[in-house]
Amino acid sequence: MIMKYFIYLFLGLFVIATACKRDKQEELKMTLAVKSFWPNSGKAGTIITINGSGFARRAADNEVTFNGEIAKVADVNDTVLTVLAPEKGTSGQLIIKASGKQVEAGTYTYQNLSMQGVSPLNGPAGTNISVHGAGFSSLSAPAKVMVNGKEAIITTVNDTFLIAAVPVGAGSGPVKVIVDGKEVTGPVFTFQNISKIKPLKGGKGTHVTVSGEGFSTVAAENSIVFNGKPGTVISATGTELVVATPDDVATGPLSVTVNGEKTVGPVFTVVPPPVLAVVTPLSSPAGKDVTITGNYFSIEKDENEVSFNGVKGVVKSADEKQLVITVPAGAGTGNMKVWVNGQETGGPLFKEQNLGVIKLSPDNGLAGTVVTITGIGFSLNAADNQVTFNGVVATVLSATETELQVQTPATVSTGTVNVRVSTLDATGPVFRRAGVMTFLAGVLSAPTGLAIDKAGNLYTLDQNQVKKITPNGDVSSFAGSSSGVSGHGDGSAASALFNDPKTIIIDKQDNLYVKDGDYQRSYVRKITPDGDVTTLVNIAERLPGGLGVDKNGTIFLSREYQGVYKLEASGVLTRIGSGYLSVPQQMVIDDAGVIYYGGGDYYNPFIHKVSATYSILAGDQSNTGYTDGQGNVARMGSPLGVAFDAAGNIIFIDDLNQSVRMVTPGGLVTTITGAGGTYQSFKSGFVNGTLSEAYFKNMNGICVDKDGNIYVMDAGNSAIRKIFLK
């Protein structure tokens, strides 16, 4: 038993001795080095923190001298040695000895000025740092605080405490206090700054690189927030963080917080995933370019990535609405994909082959339109190229390797254009059945205004008559004297009389309403689908042409320079708001009761919106012009008649710029057709064709049928023109 006890004791001592020997060997292997120490001045007893490596594990095994005087070692670990400035020490070298090695740390100065603590030790410009110590007060000059050599602004100071704001662009470096020519150096302040973030736009899951300084190299010690929403740090260095945005990321500034100190950076803007509208061509050999038009692309090329069947292409150019990419070798046949800052959108099928369709010119038209198809890999023999428009075979007029002249088929409809050469098949862009044709010409004398019923019959005013035009183009007198005699008389069809009628509208029950009368007296007349004419209101004054009807059959009219009035069931006129303009032609009223009308002349080049008050929906009250755009960015000439289409958009004509334009309920103006596609100056004529080829002359009436086709009264050409959009 006693023998066993001695054996255990021996083994225990052996283990302890071995461990001590191993620790000693490890100490000897480490290089004794001093990185920094602070403060570098103070009185006897000042606590000095020495940062470095290779210190002995036991405090007693480390010797620290101040100009030869041994100091007391208060504490030690692998990288920090804490000592007290000795009582009999003098200014001079601070030397550390450990494990048989010796190193000079620098000069320590005995003086009243000392530094005992700094907090915080990190932060951005403007951070208030608190410095504790002694000897900060002076009768000759105020104390100075330097951060990495740049002077900070002191806001509070006494003999043992001061507060200073970190200067802009300070950078990381030691904190120093200077008083009466004496100085003391303290610990290193880590300066935090965000110089840039990339990308500046994205969505959930976007990887954002944050560049700057003062970050923690431990990822978890950096807190990244996107407008209050925390992101996930993927990697970290002192100068760069890679962060994934959160699922609920919101537009706002990005901030980085390290050790409780926050640095605010640039704004990160949330945008939707990329939208692909048109990709051309959808087939081509490697090395050729593909153009993607759409929205929400990045203007930085490296923030866009496009793959062809999984093979990455080279982005040659980029803006927010268009990318140009070189087709990679080995693309084969497969779907394209587009990533913008980590947000993915699937694309169409792409074929790597020596046949492709790049562009159609024009990309809209009617039957018989000659279209130039630009592409690659066409046969020089026209007959070897089979071209279809939405599946219907077209006639190829001529061919080169890169260009086909094709005539659209009689039954052309909206759809993709396909080209087949031998065994290869290429899909091209969409061709729209759209354009302008003459519906009726040479029959009307002095027509004005236009309305359409549910059956597609048109109605216009011509020489004191209401004329009816069937969908086949047959014209007849619907109401008023067949000989054009003027007057005022109610009755049925031809027995009724009109006196210079100017505006015509129609309600949901196909009742027509006409503004009628001369300079002394005006009337609003109602005409039923059977042709019976009655007078709704008789006013002893000249009224402008403004007339409208809502979904309930309530009539609205305009009085000169007094805006809009509602015709009550009792026959009384109730003024709406305090508008002062005269409405020139028809008004339209949406289901919510909001009224829209055109300004009608050079002085009022806008679309007005009336509810309880008057406001401008689109156009600029002070400037005419020919510019599409949103709200008051748009410029108009003299918008007259307006009409709703089936989708609730406002279509209006412009008698100055000779064009048909569309305004959405949100105020976005888009030119549809007219002026031969120039859209820059007054250009009139009488030309049919594509939307960009057509000309009009002095339009003064507009309506839209149930299929979305637009009819305009082209008075200057005594014709009714039909505009196809679908």
Side-chain angles (χ1 to χ4, degrees), residues 18 20 44 46 66-67 85 136 175 203 252 304 325 343 407 479 509 521 596 618 634 646 721:
T18 302
C20 291
T46 298
F66 286 67
N67 201 23
F136 297 155
V175 177
N304 305 279
I325 308 98
Q343 298 194 92
Q407 188 173 46
Q509 287 71 46
R521 184 164 295 277
Y596 304 88
R721 311 283 290 282

Short mmCIF file of all heavy atoms in Angstrom, two decimals, residues 18 20 44 46 66-67 85 136 175 203 252 304 325 343 407 479 509 521 596 618 634 646 721:
data_model
loop_
_atom_site.label_atom_id
_atom_site.label_comp_id
_atom_site.label_asym_id
_atom_site.label_seq_id
_atom_site.Cartn_x
_atom_site.Cartn_y
_atom_site.Cartn_z
N THR A 18 7.30 17.61 -16.15
CA THR A 18 7.25 17.56 -17.62
C THR A 18 6.50 18.75 -18.19
O THR A 18 6.90 19.37 -19.16
CB THR A 18 6.59 16.25 -18.09
OG1 THR A 18 7.34 15.15 -17.55
CG2 THR A 18 6.57 16.17 -19.60
N CYS A 20 6.02 21.66 -16.71
CA CYS A 20 6.82 22.88 -16.51
C CYS A 20 7.91 22.99 -17.56
O CYS A 20 8.20 24.07 -18.08
CB CYS A 20 7.44 22.88 -15.12
SG CYS A 20 6.20 23.11 -13.81
N ALA A 44 5.64 58.02 -10.22
CA ALA A 44 5.89 56.69 -9.66
C ALA A 44 4.55 56.06 -9.30
O ALA A 44 3.63 56.72 -8.82
CB ALA A 44 6.78 56.80 -8.43
N THR A 46 2.49 54.78 -11.49
CA THR A 46 1.61 54.76 -12.66
C THR A 46 1.56 53.35 -13.25
O THR A 46 2.58 52.67 -13.37
CB THR A 46 2.11 55.74 -13.74
OG1 THR A 46 2.08 57.06 -13.20
CG2 THR A 46 1.26 55.67 -14.99
N PHE A 66 13.07 50.49 -15.31
CA PHE A 66 12.87 51.85 -15.76
C PHE A 66 14.19 52.59 -15.55
O PHE A 66 14.54 52.93 -14.42
CB PHE A 66 11.76 52.52 -14.97
CG PHE A 66 10.37 52.05 -15.33
CD1 PHE A 66 9.97 50.75 -15.05
CD2 PHE A 66 9.47 52.91 -15.95
CE1 PHE A 66 8.71 50.33 -15.38
CE2 PHE A 66 8.20 52.48 -16.27
CZ PHE A 66 7.80 51.18 -16.00
N ASN A 67 14.96 52.75 -16.63
CA ASN A 67 16.29 53.38 -16.57
C ASN A 67 17.15 52.69 -15.51
O ASN A 67 17.85 53.33 -14.74
CB ASN A 67 16.16 54.87 -16.28
CG ASN A 67 17.40 55.65 -16.70
OD1 ASN A 67 18.17 55.22 -17.57
ND2 ASN A 67 17.60 56.81 -16.08
N ALA A 85 5.24 51.83 -12.38
CA ALA A 85 6.47 52.64 -12.47
C ALA A 85 7.11 52.67 -11.08
O ALA A 85 6.47 53.04 -10.09
CB ALA A 85 6.13 54.04 -12.94
N PHE A 136 -3.50 67.29 -16.57
CA PHE A 136 -4.09 67.81 -17.80
C PHE A 136 -4.31 69.33 -17.75
O PHE A 136 -4.43 69.96 -18.79
CB PHE A 136 -5.43 67.14 -18.09
CG PHE A 136 -5.34 65.66 -18.35
CD1 PHE A 136 -6.43 64.83 -18.13
CD2 PHE A 136 -4.16 65.09 -18.81
CE1 PHE A 136 -6.36 63.47 -18.38
CE2 PHE A 136 -4.08 63.73 -19.06
CZ PHE A 136 -5.17 62.91 -18.83
N VAL A 175 -3.37 57.62 -29.05
CA VAL A 175 -3.92 58.84 -28.46
C VAL A 175 -2.80 59.52 -27.67
O VAL A 175 -2.10 58.87 -26.90
CB VAL A 175 -5.10 58.51 -27.52
CG1 VAL A 175 -5.62 59.79 -26.85
CG2 VAL A 175 -6.21 57.82 -28.29
N GLY A 203 -31.49 43.67 -53.55
CA GLY A 203 -32.67 43.19 -52.84
C GLY A 203 -32.26 42.20 -51.78
O GLY A 203 -31.12 42.18 -51.32
N GLY A 252 -32.37 52.55 -47.31
CA GLY A 252 -31.91 53.42 -46.23
C GLY A 252 -30.42 53.26 -46.02
O GLY A 252 -29.75 52.46 -46.70
N ASN A 304 -23.75 42.72 -63.11
CA ASN A 304 -24.70 41.96 -63.92
C ASN A 304 -24.05 40.64 -64.34
O ASN A 304 -22.88 40.63 -64.74
CB ASN A 304 -25.09 42.73 -65.18
CG ASN A 304 -25.64 44.10 -64.88
OD1 ASN A 304 -26.81 44.26 -64.53
ND2 ASN A 304 -24.79 45.13 -65.01
N ILE A 325 -24.42 41.41 -74.22
CA ILE A 325 -23.62 40.28 -73.75
C ILE A 325 -23.10 39.49 -74.94
O ILE A 325 -23.80 39.27 -75.92
CB ILE A 325 -24.47 39.34 -72.86
CG1 ILE A 325 -25.17 40.11 -71.76
CG2 ILE A 325 -23.61 38.26 -72.25
CD1 ILE A 325 -26.60 40.45 -72.09
N GLN A 343 -29.84 39.07 -57.42
CA GLN A 343 -31.26 38.83 -57.70
C GLN A 343 -31.42 38.21 -59.08
O GLN A 343 -30.93 38.76 -60.07
CB GLN A 343 -32.06 40.13 -57.58
CG GLN A 343 -32.01 40.73 -56.19
CD GLN A 343 -33.07 41.80 -56.02
OE1 GLN A 343 -34.18 41.53 -55.57
NE2 GLN A 343 -32.74 43.03 -56.35
N GLN A 407 -42.89 40.96 -96.79
CA GLN A 407 -44.20 41.61 -96.77
C GLN A 407 -45.12 40.84 -95.84
O GLN A 407 -45.26 39.62 -95.95
CB GLN A 407 -44.79 41.66 -98.17
CG GLN A 407 -46.05 42.49 -98.27
CD GLN A 407 -46.51 42.66 -99.70
OE1 GLN A 407 -46.54 41.69 -100.46
NE2 GLN A 407 -46.85 43.88 -100.09
N ALA A 479 -80.07 62.09 -87.27
CA ALA A 479 -80.98 63.08 -86.70
C ALA A 479 -80.66 64.44 -87.29
O ALA A 479 -79.51 64.74 -87.61
CB ALA A 479 -80.86 63.12 -85.18
N GLN A 509 -75.87 53.59 -72.22
CA GLN A 509 -77.09 53.05 -72.84
C GLN A 509 -77.21 53.48 -74.30
O GLN A 509 -78.29 53.33 -74.91
CB GLN A 509 -78.32 53.53 -72.06
CG GLN A 509 -78.52 52.85 -70.70
CD GLN A 509 -77.48 53.29 -69.69
OE1 GLN A 509 -77.20 54.49 -69.56
NE2 GLN A 509 -76.91 52.33 -68.98
N ARG A 521 -77.72 81.77 -77.54
CA ARG A 521 -78.40 80.76 -76.73
C ARG A 521 -77.77 79.39 -77.01
O ARG A 521 -77.44 79.07 -78.14
CB ARG A 521 -79.89 80.73 -77.03
CG ARG A 521 -80.69 79.78 -76.14
CD ARG A 521 -82.16 80.08 -76.22
NE ARG A 521 -82.48 81.40 -75.68
CZ ARG A 521 -82.66 81.63 -74.38
NH1 ARG A 521 -82.54 80.65 -73.51
NH2 ARG A 521 -82.95 82.85 -73.97
N TYR A 596 -62.01 64.50 -66.52
CA TYR A 596 -60.77 64.82 -67.23
C TYR A 596 -61.12 65.56 -68.52
O TYR A 596 -62.09 65.20 -69.21
CB TYR A 596 -59.98 63.56 -67.59
CG TYR A 596 -59.64 62.69 -66.41
CD1 TYR A 596 -60.51 61.70 -65.96
CD2 TYR A 596 -58.42 62.83 -65.74
CE1 TYR A 596 -60.20 60.89 -64.89
CE2 TYR A 596 -58.10 62.03 -64.66
CZ TYR A 596 -59.00 61.05 -64.24
OH TYR A 596 -58.68 60.26 -63.17
N ALA A 618 -51.40 66.18 -66.33
CA ALA A 618 -50.19 66.06 -67.15
C ALA A 618 -50.04 67.29 -68.02
O ALA A 618 -51.02 67.88 -68.46
CB ALA A 618 -50.25 64.79 -68.01
N ALA A 634 -44.01 66.34 -69.03
CA ALA A 634 -44.55 66.23 -70.39
C ALA A 634 -44.88 67.61 -70.94
O ALA A 634 -45.24 68.53 -70.21
CB ALA A 634 -45.80 65.36 -70.38
N ALA A 646 -60.92 50.86 -73.00
CA ALA A 646 -61.51 49.83 -72.14
C ALA A 646 -60.69 49.61 -70.87
O ALA A 646 -61.22 49.16 -69.85
CB ALA A 646 -61.65 48.52 -72.91
N ARG A 721 -60.07 58.38 -89.37
CA ARG A 721 -58.91 57.48 -89.40
C ARG A 721 -59.04 56.47 -88.26
O ARG A 721 -59.52 56.79 -87.16
CB ARG A 721 -57.61 58.28 -89.24
CG ARG A 721 -57.50 59.48 -90.16
CD ARG A 721 -57.15 59.10 -91.58
NE ARG A 721 -55.80 58.61 -91.69
CZ ARG A 721 -54.71 59.39 -91.71
NH1 ARG A 721 -54.84 60.71 -91.59
NH2 ARG A 721 -53.52 58.87 -91.82
#
